[in-house]
Amino acid sequence: MSNTVEPYIYWQRLVRDQFQLGIRDGNLRPYQAFAYTYDELETVLSEGIFTRCCLLVALFMRAREAHICFEYDDPFTEDVLLELEGSAKEFDAHREEFPFCQDRELIGDLAVVRETYLKPFSDSRARCGR
């Protein structure tokens, strides 16, 4: 996409537009649009800690807005949540190093995503002994 570090709002818009494209032009249901958006933007995930975190948080915030209920034992859901979990930990470990990681909206949305998706996912894995 870009060699510069784009702000969180850029990733929010990109995810929103791609998600809407899947629904509008692809006639996809919200969960399918979530997977479509992830697949379309997957190459961006290698662009760095901040970019990866922004993209995944924006994607899960879009899922929350679309009222997507995830099945935590679904392999795709599990993979994406594990990726989000790792990204969030990596972001936290390096947050103080980069001024652009101080984005208040990103930090707030990350807290929402942790509570809405990562905590229940972690709880379900603990119940299953994973």
Side-chain angles (χ1 to χ4, degrees):
M1 291 264 149
S2 169
N3 290 334
T4 62
V5 176
E6 300 292 349
Y8 179 52
I9 194 166
Y10 171 86
W11 300 108
Q12 289 174 302
R13 290 176 182 153
L14 187 65
V15 165
R16 179 199 62 213
D17 293 348
Q18 196 68 46
F19 189 90
Q20 289 304 324
L21 182 69
I23 289 180
R24 185 183 59 244
D25 294 351
N27 294 318
L28 302 177
R29 293 187 314 264
Y31 179 78
Q32 293 171 313
F34 176 90
Y36 166 77
T37 302
Y38 176 84
D39 287 345
E40 289 296 308
L41 301 176
E42 188 173 20
T43 57
V44 177
L45 293 172
S46 64
E47 289 191 13
I49 296 166
F50 181 74
T51 298
R52 183 173 34 260
C53 188
C54 286
L55 181 62
L56 290 168
V57 169
L59 182 59
F60 276 94
M61 287 301 289
R62 177 60 47 188
R64 183 173 181 262
E65 291 167 10
H67 305 287
I68 296 173
C69 295
F70 291 100
E71 296 293 328
Y72 293 120
D73 60 348
D74 173 71
F76 171 74
T77 299
E78 185 174 9
D79 287 348
V80 177
L81 282 164
L82 286 170
E83 191 167 3
L84 173 65
E85 184 177 61
S87 178
K89 287 177 182 174
E90 193 174 27
F91 176 78
D92 287 344
H94 297 279
R95 195 160 106 189
E96 299 303 320
E97 296 174 31
F98 306 107
F100 46 82
C101 290
Q102 304 307 316
D103 185 300
R104 291 178 190 258
E105 187 173 9
L106 172 61
I107 293 166
D109 284 356
L110 180 54
V112 169
V113 166
R114 279 188 165 123
E115 188 63 29
T116 304
Y117 297 110
L118 290 180
K119 185 177 182 318
F121 175 61
S122 179
D123 292 348
S124 76
R125 288 174 59 216
R127 283 193 301 276
C128 295
R130 292 191 225 170

